[in-house]
Amino acid sequence: DSGVTQTPKHLITATGQRVTLRCSPRSGDLSVYWYQQSLDQGLQFLIQYYNGEERAKGNILERFSAQQFPDLHSELNLSSLELGDSALYFCASSVEPRDRGHGYTFGSGTRLTVV
Amino acid sequence: DQQVKQNSPSLSVQEGRISILNCDYTNSMFDYFLWYKKYPAEGPTFLISISSIKDKNEDGRFTVFLNKSAKHLSLHIVPSQPGDSAVYFCAASAWMDSSYKLIFGSGTRLLVRP
């Protein structure tokens, strides 16, 4: 158990639907990062939050949004789902907002299947 | 635009031999390079890193080599053990748009045969 909790582990939904993925960071970590891993692709950075505020944006589609709540958990909302959104979505957390990657702790991911 | 590339999707090595995993990058702004290891049904875990001002970093059986002129890095595992069988991701970090961004490669699946 890495200390980063992602729910649900698996999600199957239809095209056009909306889903919410949840991440609870490791205790004490203020930064949360969301990554998407499509088939045979690397982890694509989506977005970072630090202590409730958006810190950095990557290749996040306009149909996707995220937020970090006062208790530091984060949610990734995916709407108007397409088949190509099927992927593993990872959440990571770290203490520092300027972590170079050494302090990232990843959750085990949510596997989203859009049918 | 893949800034970090791992061109070998898989590698099979005999136990006790050396495993060499390769990674190429394109962005000269990267200042740290990291390797992550991922087992099935788990998230990636940090393994070893190297600063762009160094050319080698060693940690036990794991050594990372950096060739800046070629924009190439490699991870050596000696000796390889069956428990090393996993997917290895190369990643690079750079300061972009007021934050460090960690860019990952597509991964290499290592199988160490007993």
Side-chain angles (χ1 to χ4, degrees):
Chain A
D1 181 8
S2 68
V4 177
T5 304
Q6 288 189 250
T7 56
K9 291 195 182 305
H10 302 276
L11 196 50
I12 301 175
T13 189
T15 54
Q17 295 298 304
R18 172 190 168 94
V19 297
T20 297
L21 312 184
R22 182 187 170 105
C23 170
S24 293
R26 195 180 58 163
S27 178
D29 287 356
L30 299 177
S31 271
V32 169
Y33 312 81
W34 285 98
Y35 281 84
Q36 177 194 55
Q37 185 186 15
S38 302
L39 191 64
D40 295 332
Q41 299 289 314
L43 283 78
Q44 302 290 323
F45 170 67
L46 296 178
I47 197 163
Q48 176 197 0
Y49 279 84
Y50 175 72
N51 204 21
E53 294 194 2
E54 183 183 303
R55 181 84 181 189
K57 254 185 174 177
N59 300 323
I60 188 166
L61 299 173
E62 286 191 11
R63 299 184 286 110
F64 296 1
S65 65
Q67 54 185 323
Q68 186 180 28
F69 294 87
D71 67 352
L72 300 176
H73 92 270
S74 179
E75 293 181 355
L76 180 66
N77 301 297
L78 315 176
S79 61
S80 303
L81 284 168
E82 302 174 359
L83 295 177
D85 298 327
S86 296
L88 257 175
Y89 290 84
F90 287 103
C91 166
S93 71
S94 71
V95 173
E96 296 292 334
R98 299 186 178 192
D99 194 307
R100 279 192 167 101
H102 303 86
Y104 282 33
T105 301
F106 279 86
S108 56
T110 292
R111 182 172 293 281
L112 173 66
T113 302
V114 182
V115 298
Chain B
D1 176 26
Q2 276 191 289
Q3 299 185 60
V4 178
K5 297 180 186 178
Q6 293 177 257
N7 292 316
S8 298
S10 64
L11 175 68
S12 181
V13 170
Q14 192 74 35
E15 179 179 6
R17 299 288 186 102
I18 184 171
S19 295
I20 300 177
L21 296 92
N22 294 302
C23 179
D24 297 297
Y25 63 95
T26 57
N27 192 337
S28 300
M29 299 295 290
F30 290 138
D31 59 355
Y32 254 91
F33 301 90
L34 305 93
W35 287 93
Y36 277 76
K37 178 178 180 179
K38 183 185 178 306
Y39 291 117
E42 295 181 11
T45 56
F46 169 72
L47 182 60
I48 191 171
S49 67
I50 187 168
S51 164
S52 60
I53 62 172
K54 296 189 175 182
D55 55 18
K56 177 182 175 181
N57 187 29
E58 194 172 347
D59 183 2
R61 296 185 297 113
F62 302 90
T63 303
V64 57
F65 295 92
L66 175 63
N67 182 333
K68 281 188 70 175
S69 61
K71 292 190 172 67
H72 177 85
L73 65 154
S74 60
L75 174 67
H76 293 211
I77 306 174
V78 183
S80 300
Q81 299 174 354
D84 296 329
S85 297
V87 176
Y88 289 79
F89 290 98
C90 170
S93 177
W95 183 257
M96 302 181 209
D97 303 325
S98 306
S99 175
Y100 280 112
K101 297 249 176 86
L102 192 61
I103 311 296
F104 284 83
S106 55
T108 296
R109 184 178 302 276
L110 173 65
L111 174 64
V112 180
R113 307 185 309 273

